Amino acid sequence: MGYAQTVTPQKGLFFGLFSNYAEARVEHFRRDIFAKSVRALENLSDRQLADIGIPRSEIKQRAYESVYHKKPYSGTVH
């Protein structure tokens, strides 16, 4: 009777460190893009915001959806 042994490959210590670092960098870039988007939209006049269909009260929500949920503004009113 033979025995079979399954071996799961180990990714190693550095794999975990680098993947955590990469995730942290991505999150940093997302926060930066979110902050820049909010600042840019807040600097627009009410007329300019109305032209693109974004109420001032929804600036942060729209920027968040665009950055974190990959939902670009479609121009439709919800």
Side-chain angles (χ1 to χ4, degrees):
M1 178 182 245
Y3 292 96
Q5 181 178 3
T6 346
V7 178
T8 56
Q10 297 296 319
K11 304 232 185 209
L13 171 68
F14 290 111
F15 178 80
L17 292 175
F18 287 126
S19 67
N20 289 341
Y21 175 76
E23 289 174 16
R25 292 291 291 168
V26 167
E27 183 59 26
H28 171 75
F29 287 125
R30 283 185 178 153
R31 284 188 205 148
D32 189 45
I33 292 169
F34 171 75
K36 286 178 182 178
S37 299
V38 169
R39 267 195 309 273
L41 289 170
E42 285 177 341
N43 286 332
L44 296 176
S45 68
D46 288 334
R47 172 70 183 184
Q48 290 169 317
L49 287 171
D51 286 346
I52 60 174
I54 299 177
R56 191 164 292 280
S57 62
E58 292 182 11
I59 288 175
K60 288 183 181 177
Q61 174 190 350
R62 299 282 180 99
Y64 183 87
E65 287 175 357
S66 178
V67 172
Y68 288 97
H69 298 297
K70 298 179 184 169
K71 292 182 181 176
Y73 178 62
S74 63
T76 58
V77 178
H78 300 285

